Amino acid sequence: MISGKFFSSATIAALGSICWASPAAAETSIIVDPASVTVTAEQSNRELLSLPALTYAFTIEADCGADKTPFSISISAADTVARSLTEADRLFEIELQIPARQLPPMKINDFCTVDDAEPKTVYVEGALTAQLEIECHAEPENSNFYYRYLSHPLDIELACESTEQADEARDEG
């Protein structure tokens, strides 16, 4: 609990209507497909793979517990943040686009090298983690609100495109 010895009484009064804990009964459904990306074959013995930009489409059915309504959701992963206000009751659809410059190289030994005879696909579970913040308001709407914090793993599906396929695609385009 907030103590007067760390905050002024004015600050405590201003924060008095905020509850930081989430109710145990609240359930939230999070659906997010893996980001699917194609990388081009490179030299052999490559240990680190530089990822291209990743896009995740979230469908979230947020629950704040009895007599409370979700007002907004913020999602962050890497250094990217997306925010949405309630669209339909408790349903949120949010797209999170993470630029390549915010992604560290991924250690995958000998994936997608020019020596590969056939294209490969690799599924990486929990490659990133999304942090979700749900802002909930009390019913009827007043100044009482609180936040729920959740985390959710983000998967990546990597497909290897041979250098021949990349050349053909460039020639067609």
Side-chain angles (χ1 to χ4, degrees):
M1 192 66 200
I2 298 174
S3 169
K5 84 183 192 192
F6 297 111
F7 297 96
S8 71
S9 59
T11 303
I12 293 171
L15 296 174
S17 63
I18 298 175
C19 172
W20 298 103
S22 62
E27 291 294 325
T28 295
S29 167
I30 302 168
I31 299 170
V32 59
D33 291 329
S36 295
V37 295
T38 301
V39 294
T40 305
E42 291 185 13
Q43 75 280 358
S44 298
N45 300 325
R46 170 173 68 177
E47 290 185 16
L48 297 175
L49 175 68
S50 295
L51 294 171
L54 303 176
T55 301
Y56 291 96
F58 289 80
T59 301
I60 302 166
E61 188 173 351
D63 186 8
C64 291
D67 300 327
K68 292 170 185 65
T69 304
F71 177 73
S72 70
I73 290 184
S74 296
I75 301 173
S76 63
D79 287 333
T80 301
V81 177
R83 185 166 194 259
S84 178
L85 300 176
T86 303
E87 294 177 7
D89 194 23
R90 303 174 334 145
L91 187 66
F92 295 82
E93 291 185 358
I94 303 172
E95 186 173 274
L96 183 69
Q97 296 179 342
I98 305 171
R101 69 180 179 277
Q102 293 181 359
L103 300 168
M106 182 174 283
K107 185 169 176 69
I108 299 181
N109 291 329
D110 293 323
F111 171 73
C112 200
T113 63
V114 291
D115 299 334
D116 289 338
E118 293 183 27
K120 297 180 188 175
T121 301
V122 172
Y123 193 86
V124 182
E125 292 184 22
L128 301 167
T129 302
Q131 305 300 321
L132 288 78
E133 174 191 88
I134 304 172
E135 182 180 336
C136 299
H137 287 221
E139 292 289 336
E141 241 181 83
N142 59 30
S143 62
N144 291 331
F145 62 95
Y146 71 93
Y147 293 96
R148 292 193 65 217
Y149 296 96
L150 306 163
S151 62
H152 191 77
L154 299 176
D155 303 336
I156 301 173
E157 185 175 37
L158 295 169
C160 178
E161 180 179 61
S162 70
T163 52
E164 292 170 2
Q165 290 172 318
D167 291 341
E168 288 173 13
R170 254 192 312 276
D171 291 342
E172 291 174 9

